Amino acid sequence: CVCVCVCCVCVVCVYCVCVCAGGSRGIGFMIASGYVRNGATVYISNRKQGQLDAAVSKLNALGPGKAVGIRADLSTNAECERVAKFVGDKEGKLDVLINNAGTTWGAYSR
C-alpha cells in the first residue's frame, strides 16, 4: 500500500485496507469516497443498517475500490473489538484507520 491522503485525494490505494468509522455520511463519507475512488477496500460503520446499505451502494458505484459496511455502535469497547476482529479476519491487515464516528459533537456547547 502506497497511500497519501490529503483532503480525500489519494495517490495510490490499490492494495490499501481502510476502516472509516462513521464513513456512511458527512466528512467520513467524503474521506471513504476518496479512498474507494483510488482503489482501496474501505470498511465503513454505522449503527443504522439502512444508512449503511445506502452509503455502501453509493461508494461502490465510485470504484475501482470497494466499500464494505459493518453495522456497529463504536461507543463500546466490545463493538470496537468486534469490528477490529472482523476486518482482521477478512483482510489480515489494516493500513489506514479514520476515527470519525461520534454522536455527541455540539451537545455540550454553552
Side-chain angles (χ1 to χ4, degrees), residues 8 11 22 39 53 65 68 75 77 79 102 106:
C8 308
V11 176
D53 292 343
V68 179
S75 68
N77 287 341
E79 283 287 274

Side-chain angles (χ1 to χ4, degrees), residues 5-7 14 24 32 35 41 50 57 61 67 69 73 80 82-83 85 87:
C5 183
V6 179
C7 297
V14 175
S24 65
Y35 280 103
T41 298
S57 293
D73 179 356
C80 292
R82 183 180 66 81
V83 169
K85 182 174 179 359
V87 174

Side-chain angles (χ1 to χ4, degrees), residues 20-76:
C20 186
S24 65
R25 60 190 178 133
I27 292 169
F29 183 85
M30 290 187 290
I31 294 169
S33 68
Y35 280 103
V36 169
R37 282 187 177 112
N38 287 281
T41 298
V42 181
Y43 288 82
I44 65 170
S45 65
N46 191 312
R47 291 175 292 124
K48 299 175 182 171
Q49 191 67 50
Q51 289 178 2
L52 186 62
D53 292 343
V56 167
S57 293
K58 289 177 186 174
L59 288 168
N60 282 330
L62 301 174
K66 69 175 182 175
V68 179
I70 306 171
R71 186 170 178 264
D73 179 356
L74 297 178
S75 68
T76 69

